[in-house]
Amino acid sequence: MTHPPLSAREILEKLVGFPTESSRSNLDLINWVQDYLNRYGVEVHRVYNEDKSKASLFACIGPAVEGGVILSGHTDVVPVAGQDWLSDPFVVTEKDGKLYGRGTCDMKGFLASVLAIVPEAVEAPLQRPLILAFSYDEEVGCLSAPDLIAEITAHFPPPAAAIIGEPSMMKAVSGHKGTGGFEVHVKGYEVHSSLLHTGVSAIFEATRLINWAQQQNVACQAKAPTALAAPFDPPFTTVHVGMIRGGTAHNITAKDCHFDLEFRCVPGESLTDWVAQFRAECAALDQALKTRHPQAGVSLSDTFNVPALIPETNGYAERLVRSITGDNATEFVSYATEAGQFQEGGVSAIICGPGDIAQAHQPNEFIAIEQLDASLRFVRSVVDTLKKDL
């Protein structure tokens, strides 16, 4: 039985209908995508998480030879809870040339345009393969991409490029910052606040580490940016604390304080070195607290670590995207993506996708129809390049 091809708009409606918030499974979406690809004879591979509640997906169209192009995107979206939506976030709603819905921009619009081209790609006389790579848990630290990349490179000959379709208004983005995150737990010793000097306040002690972070921001901002850092906004590494929680009552020294800390590191600086500095600060405070009370201390849990996308000299991914889009501007971004992980895995990488990043994570998220159409044309052009040898 033949199936009529679905348009990018129709596929987008299907994908948005799966509420793949990072806290939930993405398997319903993955099942649908696999069924869709199987219709056209495309073999699908999965890479599961530990409890098999989520999966990445990869597939190859065309000959298994060197020089393929990976089109990569993530299937998860950020939560809608607490946001003021004017329409159902999991139903695509059109208004004034825009398609509203969670993930329309970030980044199911790109996935929809990739899947819409599949019927054409399987019929095309490809000389090099088109490789699809759909991940999960990107929004909480690009957690699944390393395993996905390892499986792709194990299954297929070396690809020539990876294009990550994060929202960039179809511009070529050749660099982004590296990021690393921690959950920090400062443990104190609780006493009545009238006897403050006999206890250890986890909140007071946590502020020492938070103050260290702010001191780094002041120092980084005061330095003249390097040539690699100058194109970024801001052109320096930042250390951020976004959440803090602790204490049990106003008149008890806090037994526990938890906070989240992240680094956004400009290319040219070592994320490893920044992490080592912070670990040293934590270790020094841990030792000091234990001299005051053996129950007190500091512990760290890594939450994510994403390498920077470093601009490549004459990289194939950038040359390919610029040849298709005609974009010759220099674009760098301060958010992180799976592009740095592909590059670290030995694949030339670049970001180029539909929609405006300003819409990402926002209530009433949308993608302009013209951007979805532009993405479809772009993917079709990528397929055209694969009809030729490198």
Side-chain angles (χ1 to χ4, degrees), residues 7 51 98 149 182-183 216 238 251 271 367:
S7 67
D51 66 6
K98 300 170 183 174
I149 294 165
F182 291 98
E183 291 180 356
Q216 306 314 304
T238 57
N251 59 352
L271 182 59
I367 188 171

mmCIF file of all heavy atoms in Angstrom, residues 7 51 98 149 182-183 216 238 251 271 367:
data_model
loop_
_atom_site.group_PDB
_atom_site.id
_atom_site.type_symbol
_atom_site.label_atom_id
_atom_site.label_comp_id
_atom_site.label_asym_id
_atom_site.label_seq_id
_atom_site.Cartn_x
_atom_site.Cartn_y
_atom_site.Cartn_z
ATOM 1 N N SER A 7 3.166 16.732 3.853
ATOM 2 C CA SER A 7 3.861 18.013 3.757
ATOM 3 C C SER A 7 4.594 18.289 5.066
ATOM 4 O O SER A 7 4.325 17.671 6.111
ATOM 5 C CB SER A 7 2.867 19.140 3.498
ATOM 6 O OG SER A 7 2.023 19.334 4.627
ATOM 7 N N ASP A 51 16.985 3.436 31.220
ATOM 8 C CA ASP A 51 15.757 2.719 31.572
ATOM 9 C C ASP A 51 14.818 2.513 30.383
ATOM 10 O O ASP A 51 13.681 2.080 30.541
ATOM 11 C CB ASP A 51 15.015 3.428 32.714
ATOM 12 C CG ASP A 51 14.475 4.799 32.314
ATOM 13 O OD1 ASP A 51 14.572 5.176 31.122
ATOM 14 O OD2 ASP A 51 13.948 5.502 33.197
ATOM 15 N N LYS A 98 2.040 32.606 10.867
ATOM 16 C CA LYS A 98 2.884 31.962 11.866
ATOM 17 C C LYS A 98 2.195 30.701 12.373
ATOM 18 O O LYS A 98 0.967 30.651 12.470
ATOM 19 C CB LYS A 98 3.149 32.908 13.041
ATOM 20 C CG LYS A 98 3.853 34.190 12.637
ATOM 21 C CD LYS A 98 3.873 35.191 13.793
ATOM 22 C CE LYS A 98 4.515 36.505 13.360
ATOM 23 N NZ LYS A 98 4.422 37.531 14.427
ATOM 24 N N ILE A 149 26.160 10.020 18.537
ATOM 25 C CA ILE A 149 27.267 10.276 17.619
ATOM 26 C C ILE A 149 28.187 9.059 17.537
ATOM 27 O O ILE A 149 28.648 8.673 16.451
ATOM 28 C CB ILE A 149 28.036 11.537 18.056
ATOM 29 C CG1 ILE A 149 27.143 12.775 17.908
ATOM 30 C CG2 ILE A 149 29.327 11.703 17.243
ATOM 31 C CD1 ILE A 149 27.668 13.998 18.637
ATOM 32 N N PHE A 182 26.595 22.208 37.229
ATOM 33 C CA PHE A 182 26.690 21.437 38.475
ATOM 34 C C PHE A 182 25.456 21.664 39.333
ATOM 35 O O PHE A 182 24.874 22.762 39.327
ATOM 36 C CB PHE A 182 27.902 21.882 39.312
ATOM 37 C CG PHE A 182 29.232 21.529 38.730
ATOM 38 C CD1 PHE A 182 29.953 22.462 38.008
ATOM 39 C CD2 PHE A 182 29.774 20.267 38.917
ATOM 40 C CE1 PHE A 182 31.184 22.148 37.481
ATOM 41 C CE2 PHE A 182 31.010 19.942 38.390
ATOM 42 C CZ PHE A 182 31.718 20.882 37.671
ATOM 43 N N GLU A 183 25.099 20.646 40.089
ATOM 44 C CA GLU A 183 24.244 20.811 41.255
ATOM 45 C C GLU A 183 25.166 20.812 42.463
ATOM 46 O O GLU A 183 25.950 19.870 42.657
ATOM 47 C CB GLU A 183 23.228 19.680 41.362
ATOM 48 C CG GLU A 183 22.163 19.712 40.268
ATOM 49 C CD GLU A 183 21.178 18.567 40.403
ATOM 50 O OE1 GLU A 183 21.370 17.708 41.292
ATOM 51 O OE2 GLU A 183 20.217 18.536 39.619
ATOM 52 N N GLN A 216 34.252 36.068 39.361
ATOM 53 C CA GLN A 216 34.762 35.631 38.058
ATOM 54 C C GLN A 216 34.101 36.419 36.924
ATOM 55 O O GLN A 216 34.763 36.798 35.952
ATOM 56 C CB GLN A 216 34.528 34.126 37.847
ATOM 57 C CG GLN A 216 35.079 33.236 38.943
ATOM 58 C CD GLN A 216 36.490 33.591 39.353
ATOM 59 O OE1 GLN A 216 37.404 33.631 38.519
ATOM 60 N NE2 GLN A 216 36.685 33.852 40.642
ATOM 61 N N THR A 238 30.959 33.332 31.163
ATOM 62 C CA THR A 238 30.085 33.712 32.269
ATOM 63 C C THR A 238 29.874 32.518 33.210
ATOM 64 O O THR A 238 29.920 31.361 32.789
ATOM 65 C CB THR A 238 28.713 34.190 31.762
ATOM 66 O OG1 THR A 238 28.106 33.159 30.958
ATOM 67 C CG2 THR A 238 28.855 35.452 30.933
ATOM 68 N N ASN A 251 14.501 30.754 62.217
ATOM 69 C CA ASN A 251 15.296 30.787 63.447
ATOM 70 C C ASN A 251 16.162 29.537 63.635
ATOM 71 O O ASN A 251 16.516 29.172 64.749
ATOM 72 C CB ASN A 251 14.383 30.990 64.660
ATOM 73 C CG ASN A 251 13.339 29.884 64.791
ATOM 74 O OD1 ASN A 251 13.204 29.051 63.900
ATOM 75 N ND2 ASN A 251 12.605 29.899 65.897
ATOM 76 N N LEU A 271 37.042 24.867 29.182
ATOM 77 C CA LEU A 271 35.975 24.552 30.122
ATOM 78 C C LEU A 271 36.497 23.654 31.235
ATOM 79 O O LEU A 271 36.116 23.797 32.406
ATOM 80 C CB LEU A 271 34.806 23.891 29.386
ATOM 81 C CG LEU A 271 33.572 23.537 30.216
ATOM 82 C CD1 LEU A 271 32.975 24.772 30.877
ATOM 83 C CD2 LEU A 271 32.534 22.841 29.332
ATOM 84 N N ILE A 367 6.809 29.451 14.631
ATOM 85 C CA ILE A 367 7.716 29.530 13.493
ATOM 86 C C ILE A 367 6.944 30.161 12.351
ATOM 87 O O ILE A 367 5.759 29.839 12.126
ATOM 88 C CB ILE A 367 8.265 28.143 13.095
ATOM 89 C CG1 ILE A 367 9.359 28.285 12.032
ATOM 90 C CG2 ILE A 367 7.168 27.205 12.620
ATOM 91 C CD1 ILE A 367 10.101 26.986 11.747
#
